[in-house]
Amino acid sequence: MQFFDTHAHIGLIYDDPIEQLRVIHAAKQAQVNRIISICNSLHDFETVYATLKNTPEIYHAVGVSPSEVTSPGKDWGKIVEQSLKLPKVVALGEIGLDYFKKYGDKRSQIELFITQLEIAQMADKPVIIHNREAGKDILDILSERIPSAGAVFHCYSEDAAFARKALDLPVYFSFAGNLTYRNARNLHETIGVLPLDRILVESESPFMVPAEFRGKRNMPAYVPSTVRFLADMLEMDMEEVADQLWKNSCAFFRLPE
């Protein structure tokens, strides 16, 4: 049995490269054999990529998140385009809209989002979607502009009704440790309407720690806890669920199983 963490902010877990490698070692001990490292800014991407580009378990995503909308940096579009050509960079993200934090203004966020969807289409890369209180706009935009390589709603936070609508698009739904929280009824209901072959799991580390590890800083090594909870919800064998999630993740990121 092996696990795939589709979303980890390794650069935020620890700044020290040695500590980052310890986090990856701990993940391997927990049978988390692949991790997608998500950048928080283009500078963060360059630093983490340089440190971990030769680490077999790590793949990378690059993009400009909504939090960077007011200061994406000079020539950010060209930097993203070039970075997508680097070895082991498998997706553009995380990108999207965040109306909760109110970064910049809605128009600026939407322009940034659409521009990166266009870059992803040209690069033939899937996108990792950040959505916070912006579901309608994101769904409307994706309905017209989703890249042919598809998208994943990371750390899914909408309800089952939204998921039913989104299923018409070539998208996956990724669940983090908050799936294990008792009060996450919207997520539990969503699991009930999704086919297993459209589900991914992630740590979203260092955030969203599973209930089993509450009080600790989240790490990729805790992903099996979320998978166990999902298997219990589905009343399925954990190994069977883990195997399907692995296949889903490899398919989305276009990696060999």
Side-chain angles (χ1 to χ4, degrees):
M1 183 163 50
Q2 57 185 342
F3 305 92
F4 195 133
D5 181 356
T6 63
H7 197 106
H9 295 278
I10 294 177
L12 292 180
I13 301 173
Y14 290 106
D15 292 332
D16 182 350
I18 299 300
E19 291 296 337
Q20 290 173 10
L21 292 174
R22 287 176 180 169
V23 165
I24 295 165
H25 177 72
K28 288 177 63 178
Q29 294 295 104
Q31 297 177 288
V32 180
N33 292 333
R34 280 182 181 164
I35 302 168
I36 305 296
S37 173
I38 309 295
C39 75
N40 313 295
S41 68
L42 293 183
H43 174 73
D44 171 80
F45 167 78
E46 292 172 358
T47 302
V48 175
Y49 182 83
T51 302
L52 300 177
K53 64 181 179 181
N54 296 320
T55 305
E57 298 81 12
I58 303 297
Y59 294 83
H60 300 267
V62 62
V64 181
S65 73
S67 63
E68 300 290 311
V69 67
T70 60
S71 56
K74 185 179 180 181
D75 297 327
W76 68 266
K78 291 182 180 179
I79 294 172
V80 171
E81 289 175 11
Q82 292 301 312
S83 298
L84 287 170
K85 298 175 183 178
L86 294 171
K88 300 186 76 178
V89 177
V90 295
L92 200 161
E94 63 187 89
I95 63 173
L97 304 174
D98 192 321
Y99 294 166
F100 176 78
K101 289 285 191 178
K102 298 180 175 61
Y103 299 114
D105 57 74
K106 288 185 179 181
R107 182 176 178 178
S108 297
Q109 285 197 35
I110 289 171
E111 289 176 352
L112 178 67
F113 183 34
I114 289 174
T115 298
Q116 292 187 94
L117 291 174
E118 292 170 348
I119 291 173
Q121 177 63 25
M122 289 187 293
D124 192 27
K125 296 288 187 182
V127 293
I128 299 167
I129 302 297
H130 173 103
N131 167 28
R132 197 166 186 194
E133 297 188 3
K136 183 183 183 303
D137 283 356
I138 282 181
L139 202 55
D140 287 347
I141 291 168
L142 289 180
S143 295
E144 296 183 357
R145 301 175 180 271
I146 189 169
S148 55
V152 58
F153 288 101
H154 111 83
C155 195
Y156 187 80
S157 59
E158 294 282 351
D159 58 15
F162 183 94
R164 287 191 184 96
K165 294 178 183 177
L167 275 170
D168 292 334
L169 299 171
V171 298
Y172 286 80
F173 305 81
S174 182
F175 295 87
N178 57 335
L179 178 68
T180 68
Y181 301 168
R182 289 184 178 180
N183 63 351
R185 293 180 181 177
N186 62 318
L187 305 185
H188 302 161
E189 291 171 359
T190 300
I191 291 295
V193 306
L194 291 178
L196 183 56
D197 64 3
R198 299 284 285 275
I199 295 175
L200 308 180
V201 291
E202 62 181 87
S203 66
E204 172 66 329
S205 50
F207 316 108
M208 294 294 180
V209 65
E212 179 182 356
F213 300 100
R214 272 257 174 97
K216 296 184 178 181
R217 199 175 198 194
N218 199 13
M219 299 194 301
Y222 298 158
V223 160
S225 179
T226 303
V227 176
R228 187 180 304 109
F229 186 90
L230 175 60
D232 289 344
M233 285 186 63
L234 297 173
E235 297 182 346
M236 294 177 63
D237 177 74
M238 182 177 175
E239 186 167 354
E240 182 181 356
V241 172
D243 181 62
Q244 184 61 55
L245 295 174
W246 179 270
K247 291 178 179 178
N248 297 347
S249 304
C250 293
F252 179 71
F253 291 108
R254 298 175 173 180
L255 296 172
E257 293 184 18

